[in-house]
Structure formats: C-alpha cells, structure tokens
Amino acid sequence: MNIYDIAELAGVSIATVSRVVNDSPKVSEKTKAKVRAVMEEQNYTPNVFARGLGLNSMHTVGIVCPDVSDTYMANAVAYLEKYLRKYGYDCILSCSGYKYEDKVNAVQQILQKRIDALILVGSNYAGDGGNLDMDYLSQAAGEVPVFLMNGYIRCPGVYCVLSDGYQIVYDMVSELIESGRKRILFLYDSDSYSAKEKKRGYEEALRDNGLPVLEELEVFEQNKILKVLDTLLKRKQEDFDAVLATDDGLAVGALKYVKMMGRSVPQDVEIIGFNDSELAVCCDPELSSVDSRGELLCRTIVESMRQLLAGHSIRHKKVVPCRLVKRNTTN
Amino acid sequence: MNIYDIAELAGVSIATVSRVVNDSPKVSEKTKAKVRAVMEEQNYTPNVFARGLGLNSMHTVGIVCPDVSDTYMANAVAYLEKYLRKYGYDCILSCSGYKYEDKVNAVQQILQKRIDALILVGSNYAGDGGNLDMDYLSQAAGEVPVFLMNGYIRCPGVYCVLSDGYQIVYDMVSELIESGRKRILFLYDSDSYSAKEKKRGYEEALRDNGLPVLEELEVFEQNKILKVLDTLLKRKQEDFDAVLATDDGLAVGALKYVKMMGRSVPQDVEIIGFNDSELAVCCDPELSSVDSRGELLCRTIVESMRQLLAGHSIRHKKVVPCRLVKRNTTN
DNA sequence: ATGAAAGCGCTAACAG
DNA sequence: CTGTTAGCGCTTTCAT
C-alpha cells in the first residue's frame, strides 16, 4: 500500500495525498477528509525511508552517552526520550564507552544516520582523560546541532546545558566549614568537565575560608561502592570529618568505611553525595545528596533544540542551579 | 557528494560503486581499491535513506521498554545496544510507560520506522495489569520478528528469552524452610509474567514443604524503598522470619523496616532480593540477591535475532537458569 | 486547490 | 567483472 494506491482509491493525485500527509494548508478540507478516510481504511503508513529521502530527515535525534547502565545517564536518556517523543522525534541511542577514540567513533557513526540533532550526555564528552581534542565535536556541529548535557566547550554549533556543580560545591563546603568541619574529603571519579568544576568549587571554598587544600584529601576512585571502601581501607585515611562525593556511589563507599571504623554519621563525619539517586536513600543512615537537575536539563535541551530547528537562535550556554536534598544532617 | 560523483571520480559506474559499498564479491580487488580510495578521499558516506529505500531496511532494531530509568531495564538496554552495535545494528529506543494503551501505542509507532526486529524489554509486555489482550504483539510479529526479554507468550513470530524465576524462587523458598524459616514474606510489585512465575514458585514451594500460603505474607507494593517501608510500618506486619522480594528495591525497604523494628538481619530475618543491583551492596548489611542473568538474556536475544534474520529458524522459547549471589546468610 | 513530472541517492535485475 | 537502467515511495516545483 503506497501513495499511488491511496491516490487512486481517493481519486486524487499523489501530490495531493502527499500534501494531506504533511497537512499542507493548500488542500481543501473536503479533499483532506476524503483522502484521510481512505488512508484510515487502508491502514496506510507513509514509507519513512522514501520520506527521509525526500525531506532529508527522518525526524530523529541521536543520543550518545558513555554507558546507559549508569543511573545518571539512564535517567537522562529516559527524560530526553520522553520530551523528544512528545514532539514527535525518535531517538537512536548509542553507548560509546569512556575511551576517547570510542567516543569519537560513536559520534561519527551516529552522524551517518542523518539525524536532525545530536545530544551528548554527560560531561565526559567535554574534555575527559587528558585528551582535549574536541575537533570531532566541532566537526559534528558542522553537520547538525550538537547539545552537550552537563558539559561545556566553547565551539560554534555546540550548545551546552549544564548544572552549576561549582557553585553548589562551593556553598556546601563553605557551610561545612562554618559548621566546624576542618578536614573535608573530596571523592571523585572522573576528569570530566563537571568533575573538574566541582573540584574547583571545593578548592576555592577551602581557600576562601582559610583552609589548605590537602592532596591527601582528594581521592580519585572508580565509582563502585566496594572499590571506594577498599581504597579507603588501604589508605587507612580516617582523618576526615566530612566527605563530599561527586556521585552517590562514592558517598556510600565512604559511608561504609566510616561505619566500619566505628565512627558515626553524621555526628563524626558528615557525608554528602551527588545526583540524589536511590543509593542515597538505600543506605543507612540515608545521605544528603545534590539534585543535579537532570530532568530540567533534559527539558531545556529538548526545548532549545526545537527553537533552533525552528529557525530561532539560542544561547550557547545555559546554566541551572543545583540544589541540596538534606537528610540526617547535623545542622 | 553522492554515488554519481564517486563513480565519476573513480572512473566506474554507479553500480560498481554500490557493489563496493556493499562489499560484493563480484568486483575485482583492484577496482575495489580504486573506488575505496576515492571514497576515503572524498569522505563519502552513502545516504542511509536512499539505501533504506532500496533495501527496505536501515539495519535498525527497535527496543521498547516501560522505563529506562529503571536499573534492570537500563542494564538490559545497555547490553542489547552493545551486542546489536557489534553486529552493525542501530537501536531506536522507545519508553512506553506501564499502561496498556501506551504500550500498544509505542509498539505500533516504532513499527512504522521499518525496523528489522523489535525487542520488548521486561515481562510487562506479556500480560500485565489484567489486560491479556496480546493482539498487538501478534500483529507486530506479523511485520517483524518480535523478541520478548523475560516474558512469555505463545504466539508465532514472538520469540521469548527468559530467566527461570519460578525455579530459583522455588529452590530458595525450599532452602529457607529447610533451614528453619516458617513465615516467609513475599514482596512483589507487578502482575507481569515474571512476577507471577516467581509467585508461583513461592507458593508451590510452600505447599510442597507442607506450609500454608498465607495471604498476609504476600504483599504487593510499588518498587520504591520508602514506599515499602511505609507500607510495612502501617501494616505492623512483623511476624515473618524471611523475606523474598522480586526486586532489590523492595528488599531494601523490608530491610529498613526490620532494622527499625530492632530485629537483626540475617539472624532474625533473612532477606533476599532480585536482580543483584547496586542496591543490594549499598545497604547495611548487604543482601543476597538473585542474578537474573540480564547480560546472558541480551546476548541470547541478539544472537537469536541474527540467526533468524539470516534465514535460520530458532526456538520460540529459551529459558536460562538464575543464580543466587549470597551475602551475609546464616547458612 | 490540484495534477504532472522531475528528482532524491541507492539497489538490483539484466545484459554483456 | 562491469555497465545500463528501471525502480523504491515520497516531496516539490511548475503549471493550470
């Protein structure tokens, strides 16, 4: 059943059928109704490939993230998909992994699908692991609009939507210090843009509050609960009275360590995680965690994308404030 | 830059270029090399839409799940994507939600994309919520091969790959009883095929071991840690000495309740979760959990799909055994 | 408001 | 092994 069949059955030309399919205003309501009736009756669906060929678009956006099995990204993908679908876009998903060359490959591959826009989830696409060569992004941006969720690079055609990790960390550290904490452990697990921003917030807050930045208090470990626990056990690093982690998994690892050392949370050690995931509620005691506004970021990205594709111009950088979800704190 | 340009630059016909693109064996290595050189040099990429039109396929498979932000599904999608990409398939993802009509819509919508196969993740597609009308699946199966991950319906064209929830639950309950547990709470959160199977395993094990099936010990609650805790608190149901939950989130909710009641785990109450997620390791004490073999299921699905698309016939049902990951048990 | 016809870029007989 | 050519199903001028 193709457009010719419908045209014949409806007694019109294929051009008219096409116009009806695209809801063109220059078809009389009467004809529209007639054609639509036939389409319904025949259960006709336009061939998306032919349509794509003609329009050079299949109304599809590409979503690339290092790993959807990560809670943060899974959430992001879920929200993105939801908003994109709301506006009739389909999503093609690609999980690139974390290695630079794999990320480049994934981006180049998905571009061949002639997507209408590309969304990169997670700040790992903005300068991770030392390789700062962002050419593949500017190249991509030359073909379609590129959106960076929670990352930032300065490059025409790349639109960045991110939460203000720097600010919230700065504020939290300042508050911790004000409430008497002196040795705050900073736990992170990546060199991504957002991790660096958080670290900067941590260090600046320490400095601005007259405390030294101690290397021994900045620990980099894979985001696995038991790995973190293990590392802390090995280092026998018990000399801290607060922990700030860039992810809830890390925070829980620290929590386990602290409890194992017989110290109590939050009295002896205050622990704060990031992303406000189920992990923060699962552990005992529950932990405060920063809501990094995943849903808002996703909504903003999709709305911006629509603006852009509709011909409007949009800002290259949009920053959203984070907010702390407090649980069991001492103050 | 299209096939004509390449043909001209390489001094061959478009047919030859097309053959090279598709790596047809009937082109001399010499010509292939020549054409490939030009393609490289011009950075040529075949237009996927035109290709789709000609082949009536874009080498894409549809993945539909109720909600990727759920850990189990996120994992499944990650594995599926990985294996599919390995064989050159792209994935289009659709999150349908849990409502029957939304599931039907999602399936019908994604079919219009002329995907090569459809994968439905989670047993919610096989008879959930009372509505047993599986017509939309058999209809879908009429158009493309349909794979059900962890669900089972008897329908030609629908291939089911699932883990044996019935058996593992039956075995675990039997063991619990043998080790002296008498009142085992069964916590579940859906009416899906797999939940029903687990419940059946629970009930049959009780019966076969001479214990009654008590309604008060079967509690249905949303899979949210705090919701479960809340429900148990309201019911003041403390009269159980073991818990079997169909998901780790539920198990953790029960754990919190048990600890709150001042009873100890696993001495007073043994708790076992499902899916072996991070939650099982995050809580304190860590919980045993059933590995439902997500990766194996995904790999099996993708391999089966390839067999099928290659013209071989495959079995309509493949069952994989689960396995228990023990942590802090009493026996 | 509608139709005729020329593409869109590629695949796949068919012919040599 | 290579080239010619007729589609694939739709969009879109350009007429009318």
Side-chain angles (χ1 to χ4, degrees):
Chain A
M1 190 58 47
N2 62 25
I3 201 173
Y4 291 93
D5 302 324
I6 301 298
E8 179 148 11
L9 289 170
V12 297
S13 74
I14 61 164
T16 298
V17 176
S18 176
R19 291 191 184 101
V20 172
V21 166
N22 294 289
D23 202 23
S24 157
K26 29 193 192 176
V27 179
S28 70
E29 283 307 322
K30 204 173 148 188
T31 332
K32 264 188 190 170
K34 186 173 57 181
V35 174
R36 287 207 176 107
V38 177
M39 299 198 320
E40 290 272 290
E41 178 190 312
Q42 301 297 320
N43 214 299
Y44 166 72
T45 302
N47 181 307
V48 283
F49 300 147
R51 204 124 189 276
L53 229 202
L55 297 172
N56 199 34
S57 153
M58 250 176 66
H59 227 61
T60 294
V61 345
I63 300 181
V64 180
C65 70
D67 178 13
V68 242
S69 69
D70 172 275
T71 309
Y72 178 79
M73 301 179 207
N75 258 293
V77 171
Y79 285 126
L80 288 171
E81 199 271 346
K82 174 177 137 191
Y83 289 117
L84 287 169
R85 185 160 306 283
K86 176 174 161 192
Y87 295 119
Y89 288 95
D90 282 294
C91 302
I92 109 156
L93 174 70
S94 171
C95 303
S96 67
Y98 291 91
K99 286 197 297 192
Y100 179 76
E101 58 184 85
D102 292 337
K103 290 188 284 186
V104 174
N105 274 338
V107 167
Q108 289 179 343
Q109 248 210 329
I110 207 167
L111 279 178
Q112 321 222 134
K113 289 296 167 182
R114 315 247 162 178
I115 49 185
D116 291 7
L118 177 60
I119 301 176
L120 269 16
V121 177
S123 56
N124 286 281
Y125 296 95
D128 183 25
N131 197 326
L132 294 170
D133 187 355
M134 295 293 114
D135 279 3
Y136 74 109
L137 289 187
S138 64
Q139 191 201 322
E143 302 189 28
V144 298
V146 173
F147 291 85
L148 230 54
M149 173 166 171
N150 224 12
Y152 177 67
I153 67 168
R154 212 177 139 66
C155 170
V158 177
Y159 302 88
C160 305
V161 179
L162 49 157
S163 55
D164 198 344
Y166 164 80
Q167 193 60 53
I168 188 82
V169 169
Y170 184 95
D171 293 346
M172 290 192 306
V173 170
S174 299
E175 270 188 48
L176 285 169
I177 295 171
E178 275 165 31
S179 71
R181 309 284 173 174
K182 296 212 159 13
R183 292 180 59 87
I184 304 169
L185 181 68
F186 183 73
L187 261 175
Y188 63 111
D189 69 342
S190 114
D191 266 330
S192 67
Y193 173 81
S194 101
K196 280 184 201 141
E197 281 292 290
K198 291 170 190 166
K199 197 165 165 202
R200 189 167 67 85
Y202 166 74
E203 295 179 348
E204 291 192 8
L206 288 180
R207 289 213 185 86
D208 293 356
N209 285 279
L211 288 181
V213 174
L214 301 172
E215 206 178 314
E216 74 213 67
L217 289 180
E218 298 188 328
V219 358
F220 181 98
E221 180 51 83
Q222 198 190 347
N223 182 14
K224 294 278 176 213
I225 295 168
L226 299 182
K227 278 294 276 173
V228 173
L229 171 58
D230 210 46
T231 300
L232 292 177
L233 281 171
K234 277 196 194 109
R235 295 178 37 145
K236 275 292 178 198
Q237 173 65 273
E238 16 177 338
D239 195 18
F240 52 81
D241 50 21
V243 179
L244 213 62
T246 61
D247 187 284
D248 285 337
L250 299 169
V252 170
L255 169 62
K256 284 192 179 271
Y257 172 76
V258 170
K259 285 168 75 175
M260 204 169 275
M261 291 296 117
R263 311 183 70 197
S264 70
V265 176
Q267 294 76 18
D268 298 334
V269 183
E270 178 116 20
I271 303 181
I272 302 176
F274 233 98
N275 294 343
D276 194 27
S277 66
E278 270 199 301
L279 293 185
V281 173
C282 170
C283 54
D284 185 13
E286 296 174 14
L287 298 179
S288 296
S289 185
V290 175
D291 173 2
S292 46
R293 316 300 298 281
E295 173 160 23
L296 180 53
L297 294 187
C298 292
R299 197 181 344 133
T300 305
I301 287 174
V302 175
E303 301 289 359
S304 303
M305 187 197 82
R306 292 192 70 218
Q307 292 292 313
L308 194 66
L309 294 181
H312 307 291
S313 76
I314 59 174
R315 270 176 292 147
H316 279 271
K317 182 179 184 183
K318 287 192 185 163
V319 181
V320 161
C322 292
R323 52 187 173 199
L324 179 61
V325 178
K326 288 199 181 190
R327 296 188 187 93
N328 299 306
T329 52
T330 51
N331 50 75
Chain B
M1 192 58 46
N2 62 27
I3 201 171
Y4 291 93
D5 301 324
I6 301 298
E8 180 149 8
L9 289 170
V12 297
S13 72
I14 61 163
T16 299
V17 176
S18 175
R19 290 190 185 103
V20 172
V21 165
N22 295 289
D23 201 24
S24 155
K26 25 193 192 176
V27 179
S28 70
E29 283 309 320
K30 206 173 146 188
T31 327
K32 264 188 191 170
K34 185 173 57 181
V35 174
R36 286 206 178 109
V38 177
M39 300 198 320
E40 290 271 291
E41 179 189 311
Q42 301 296 321
N43 214 301
Y44 165 72
T45 303
N47 181 307
V48 283
F49 300 147
R51 204 127 189 275
L53 231 202
L55 297 170
N56 199 33
S57 153
M58 252 176 61
H59 228 61
T60 294
V61 345
I63 300 181
V64 180
C65 70
D67 177 13
V68 242
S69 68
D70 172 275
T71 308
Y72 178 79
M73 300 179 206
N75 257 294
V77 171
Y79 285 125
L80 288 171
E81 200 272 346
K82 173 177 139 191
Y83 289 117
L84 287 168
R85 184 159 308 280
K86 176 173 162 191
Y87 295 118
Y89 288 94
D90 282 293
C91 302
I92 111 156
L93 175 69
S94 171
C95 304
S96 67
Y98 291 91
K99 286 195 299 191
Y100 179 76
E101 59 185 85
D102 292 336
K103 292 189 282 186
V104 174
N105 274 337
V107 167
Q108 288 178 344
Q109 247 210 329
I110 207 167
L111 279 178
Q112 320 219 137
K113 290 295 167 182
R114 313 247 162 177
I115 49 184
D116 291 6
L118 177 60
I119 301 176
L120 269 17
V121 176
S123 56
N124 286 282
Y125 296 96
D128 184 26
N131 196 328
L132 294 169
D133 187 355
M134 295 292 112
D135 279 2
Y136 74 109
L137 289 188
S138 64
Q139 190 200 323
E143 302 188 29
V144 298
V146 174
F147 291 85
L148 230 54
M149 172 165 171
N150 224 13
Y152 178 66
I153 67 168
R154 211 179 140 66
C155 170
V158 176
Y159 302 89
C160 305
V161 178
L162 49 157
S163 56
D164 197 344
Y166 165 81
Q167 192 61 53
I168 189 81
V169 170
Y170 184 96
D171 292 346
M172 290 191 307
V173 170
S174 299
E175 270 188 49
L176 284 170
I177 295 171
E178 277 165 29
S179 70
R181 309 284 172 174
K182 295 209 157 21
R183 292 180 59 87
I184 304 169
L185 180 67
F186 182 73
L187 261 176
Y188 63 111
D189 69 343
S190 114
D191 266 330
S192 67
Y193 173 81
S194 101
K196 280 184 200 142
E197 280 294 289
K198 291 170 189 164
K199 196 164 166 203
R200 189 167 68 85
Y202 166 76
E203 295 178 346
E204 290 191 8
L206 288 181
R207 288 211 186 87
D208 293 356
N209 285 279
L211 289 182
V213 174
L214 301 173
E215 207 179 312
E216 74 217 63
L217 288 179
E218 299 188 328
V219 356
F220 181 98
E221 179 52 80
Q222 199 189 345
N223 183 14
K224 294 278 175 213
I225 296 168
L226 299 182
K227 276 295 274 175
V228 173
L229 171 57
D230 209 48
T231 300
L232 293 177
L233 281 171
K234 277 199 193 107
R235 296 178 37 147
K236 275 293 178 196
Q237 172 67 271
E238 16 177 340
D239 195 17
F240 51 81
D241 50 20
V243 179
L244 213 61
T246 61
D247 187 284
D248 285 337
L250 299 170
V252 171
L255 170 61
K256 284 192 180 271
Y257 171 76
V258 169
K259 285 168 75 175
M260 202 170 276
M261 291 295 117
R263 312 181 68 197
S264 69
V265 176
Q267 294 73 19
D268 298 335
V269 182
E270 178 115 20
I271 303 182
I272 303 176
F274 233 99
N275 293 345
D276 195 25
S277 66
E278 271 198 301
L279 292 186
V281 172
C282 170
C283 54
D284 185 14
E286 297 173 14
L287 298 180
S288 296
S289 185
V290 175
D291 172 2
S292 47
R293 315 302 296 281
E295 173 160 22
L296 180 52
L297 295 187
C298 292
R299 193 175 354 129
T300 305
I301 287 173
V302 175
E303 301 289 358
S304 303
M305 186 197 83
R306 292 193 69 216
Q307 292 292 313
L308 195 66
L309 294 181
H312 307 292
S313 75
I314 60 175
R315 269 177 292 145
H316 280 271
K317 182 179 184 182
K318 286 193 185 163
V319 181
V320 160
C322 292
R323 53 187 174 199
L324 179 60
V325 178
K326 288 199 180 189
R327 297 189 186 90
N328 299 307
T329 53
T330 50
N331 51 76

